[in-house]
Amino acid sequence: MRITIFGSGYVGLVTGACLADAGNHVVCVDVDPAKIERLKRGDVPIHEPGLDEVVRRNQAKGRLEFTLDAATAICQSLFQIIAVGTPPDESGSADLKYVLKVANTIATHMNEYKVVITKSTVPVGTADKVRAEISRTLAARPASVEFDVVSNPEFLKEGAAINDFMRPDRVIVGADNPRVTELMRALYEPFTRNHDRLVVMDIRSSELTKYAANAMLATKISFMNEMANLAERLGADIEKVRIGIGSDPRIGYGFIYPGVGYGGSCFPKDVQALEQSGRAVGYESKILAAVEDVNARQKQVLFEKITAHFNGELKGRTFALWGLSFKPNTDDMREAPSRVLMEALWAAGASVRAYDPIAMPEVKRLYGERSDLALVGSMEEALTGADALAIVTEWQEFRSPDFDTIRAALKQPAIFDGRNLYDPALMSRFGFTYYGIGRGAPRPSRA
């Protein structure tokens, strides 16, 4: 099949690479000349495990191309996938200007039947707006060309996107006629061969499914953080509670890990956008508002623990930070809890020595050169001259460090563990004052 994808960001690039890997011919269109030149050289501008290999393999076989020429790409492909950004506007609603611009571009150049697929995360009713924009543009040409609009939201986890696309839990298709449903079934058949995971529904239900899924996962995270804060005040251990409730199959273990709040490009934006969608139809979602409030508060927890431990005297101190990206296996710093912590420490007059396996170039891009920020080459180097250690992202290499080295390097043997990587009793025996999330009262050193 021949496929054109608009947008060579995270979703567009993963989608294009995986569809090409199944034998399709894919052209990714973007408006950024520098990005297109990088991609033509096989230089993937985002970090996603395995993506570089898939992109280069399919470029070499001639199945994956990158271009600025939208007109040619539109004419040569049946499927037109819209995967551009939908950033929040001032109200928190998803801004559809890029989506509708692509719809206009498709309608300007299409000369035969096309399947227009919205893969960007968009509010309910967006497909109607895309259809109206295409119809308006065709009428203005004037031209009479048949087309269908399909909702096909993505469910890719950063750090595991290739596997998610190749072996999907489900493929949601929102369509309004059987013909286009069968075309979508053929498009995804290589990825659903063992089990038919195609879930077909009406377009508006498909659009809401994406938002509802992310809002549900964000709700689980905020709920667990709420329980962690309660456990801490009641003298309970939230990690034991987590195992106790996760063993119930109605709840499960997914997304019930307490921590310092969720971040990234999806959950914060989508919860906010869904909340705004409710307001647009006269409905106030109290649960979604609470999810947001709890998450914002949770991002302050590590700073509050640090401030209390040092009796508010942070000026002139240095803190080691392990982990900067909002989660492991990505360099994404959007809405990352580490940003809230670093900015609070800087405002209090403290300095930061930080290490992250992947995200430090992005941090440097965001903050530039600062005298109160040192981005260092190893987790051990981050400890040098630090008053205490804060763990913000649960990278695998942080799970079993040399605790003797940590204790020897820190001015005070204090660990503020925002991801509950370590056992409080063990930390106490190693000589640390240990602060977890929802682990009861802080464990003083017994060394």
Side-chain angles (χ1 to χ4, degrees), residues 302-434:
L302 275 192
F303 178 72
E304 291 168 358
K305 291 176 182 291
I306 291 169
T307 300
H309 178 85
F310 289 98
N311 298 314
E313 299 174 358
L314 302 183
K315 188 174 182 179
R317 295 189 184 277
T318 299
F319 293 92
L321 260 65
W322 285 0
L324 295 167
S325 56
F326 87 94
K327 72 175 200 176
N329 298 316
T330 180
D331 61 351
D332 197 338
M333 288 294 298
R334 286 173 287 187
E335 304 284 343
S338 66
R339 298 180 65 172
V340 176
L341 177 57
M342 287 192 295
E343 289 166 15
L345 289 170
W346 292 333
S351 296
V352 171
R353 292 179 61 82
Y355 168 71
D356 186 284
I358 298 296
M360 291 192 293
E362 178 64 8
V363 174
K364 188 172 183 179
R365 185 190 70 81
L366 289 169
Y367 293 109
E369 297 290 342
R370 298 180 58 114
S371 60
D372 50 10
L373 173 62
L375 299 172
V376 300
S378 70
M379 50 197 282
E380 292 80 12
E381 191 178 350
L383 303 170
T384 303
D387 289 270
L389 168 64
I391 301 168
V392 192
T393 312
E394 65 276 31
W395 286 93
Q396 188 68 25
E397 65 187 272
F398 301 157
R399 293 184 180 273
S400 185
D402 185 331
F403 292 110
D404 290 332
T405 297
I406 297 174
R407 190 176 65 248
L410 295 175
K411 293 179 181 178
Q412 292 192 28
I415 295 178
F416 300 86
D417 184 356
R419 298 297 179 179
N420 287 351
L421 298 186
Y422 311 132
D423 177 69
L426 181 64
M427 292 300 95
S428 180
R429 289 197 295 273
F430 269 112
F432 293 99
T433 299
Y434 177 78

Side-chain angles (χ1 to χ4, degrees), residues 242-306:
R242 177 181 64 80
I243 294 169
I245 67 173
S247 59
D248 185 331
R250 297 171 300 175
I251 298 172
Y253 290 104
F255 291 85
I256 62 168
Y257 289 83
V260 286
Y262 59 76
S265 62
C266 294
F267 288 4
K269 175 175 70 72
D270 292 354
V271 170
Q272 195 175 50
L274 186 55
E275 198 178 353
Q276 288 297 329
S277 293
R279 291 195 183 111
V281 293
Y283 183 77
E284 196 73 27
S285 175
K286 294 185 178 180
I287 288 179
L288 295 179
V291 168
E292 280 194 284
D293 289 344
V294 169
N295 192 60
R297 184 177 64 189
Q298 199 68 15
K299 290 182 179 181
Q300 301 287 341
V301 165
L302 275 192
F303 178 72
E304 291 168 358
K305 291 176 182 291
I306 291 169

